[in-house]
Amino acid sequence: MSKGAEQVQGTAVRVMVVDDENLVREGLRRILQTFDGIEAVAGCSGSAAADQALLHRPDVVLLDLRMPDRDGLTVLADLRALPAPPAVALLTTFDAEEHLSAALRGGAAGFLLKDTPPAQLEYAIKELARGGSVLAPRLARTVVRHYAGTGAQGPGPAPSLSGSPAPELTGRERDVLALLADGLSNAEIGQRLFIGTTTVKDHVSALLVKLGVSNRVQAAVHAHRLGLVPADPLAGDTAGR
């Protein structure tokens, strides 16, 4: 089990930033220090990531994909090979589909863009620390299409959906699922549907049980396979984001 999945509620989430540019590392660390319940414990280049992770034992690592000294996918493999690996989210401006797929196959728990707003970054880190998966909304469809097209179930433990009929979902659960598949956070889903974040969390928990999956990415993938949401969810409703 990853260290992030074991993160104890009520304690600060320990975060390490891995980027080849010192300015980027320091900028991210300053942002992280403004979040409640999050502690920036280290920042380093890719070549030092494994050693620094062993020393500081972060719950979550924000890892740059493209670094000259040691590329992000190689560093990801180094981190995942540790005895108690942290949850790792790739952080980049480069959103090529092949890198998304390779990172998730390699055990990344998420994929975020470097222009992710601070509020979304805070949510993502806390979701990773709870053992969840996170994807920037602009990348969600690419990842879901990849998994849905290849037959893979998505990151995380294998779901128990094979051979099962499509589950019966309420109208509200379908609404939540469509927005979840579009990469929105619980808070954003609540704003779209005019319901509270706690209510969204309840719906998401029910959806994971009904779909027989363990995380949001798997839920989105299997929703597409079962025809529960359109192949390109909310395609006409993205201009405002």
Side-chain angles (χ1 to χ4, degrees):
M1 179 181 293
S2 71
K3 193 172 186 292
E6 297 175 331
Q7 214 278 327
V8 179
Q9 185 176 5
T11 62
V13 179
R14 298 170 60 81
V15 181
M16 184 172 82
V17 178
V18 181
D19 194 291
D20 62 304
E21 297 184 17
N22 184 62
L23 186 62
V24 173
R25 294 198 302 267
E26 290 304 311
L28 272 173
R29 291 185 68 179
R30 287 179 180 270
I31 292 173
L32 295 176
Q33 297 289 19
T34 68
F35 299 155
D36 291 334
I38 291 175
E39 180 185 4
V41 297
C44 64
S45 64
S47 59
D51 288 340
Q52 289 295 300
L54 284 171
L55 177 63
H56 295 284
R57 297 184 58 79
D59 303 301
V60 174
V61 171
L62 301 179
L63 171 62
D64 186 19
L65 176 61
R66 308 187 76 183
M67 297 180 290
D69 64 334
R70 195 167 179 81
D71 72 90
L73 294 179
T74 301
V75 176
L76 172 62
D78 294 341
L79 293 171
R80 295 301 300 165
L82 295 176
V88 181
L90 273 293
L91 189 63
T92 185
T93 57
F94 190 68
D95 58 355
E97 183 172 349
E98 62 270 21
H99 292 286
L100 292 172
S101 303
L104 289 166
R105 284 197 308 269
F111 209 109
L112 301 169
L113 297 177
K114 283 188 174 179
D115 62 356
T116 298
Q120 290 183 15
L121 180 61
E122 181 179 9
Y123 164 82
I125 290 169
K126 292 178 179 178
E127 182 67 18
L128 290 165
R130 289 191 289 265
S133 300
V134 295
L135 287 168
R138 278 179 284 165
L139 308 178
R141 292 173 185 160
T142 299
V143 173
V144 169
R145 282 197 301 266
H146 165 76
Y147 281 115
T150 61
Q153 79 273 4
S160 57
L161 194 65
S162 179
S164 300
E168 292 186 8
L169 303 180
T170 66
R172 179 59 82 195
E173 286 172 342
R174 287 175 177 269
D175 293 339
V176 171
L177 184 58
L179 292 168
L180 180 154
D182 207 29
L184 273 66
S185 69
N186 288 345
E188 291 168 330
I189 292 172
Q191 291 172 359
R192 291 285 189 94
L193 300 179
F194 303 102
I195 58 178
T197 302
T198 300
T199 302
V200 176
K201 289 180 180 178
D202 291 340
H203 285 309
V204 171
S205 296
L207 285 166
L208 296 183
V209 172
K210 288 186 176 183
L211 293 172
V213 297
S214 62
N215 58 55
R216 298 165 77 94
V217 178
Q218 287 185 355
V221 170
H222 287 278
H224 283 286
R225 288 192 185 140
L226 293 172
L228 298 177
V229 295
D232 192 11
L234 308 180
D237 192 27
T238 58
R241 282 192 273 135

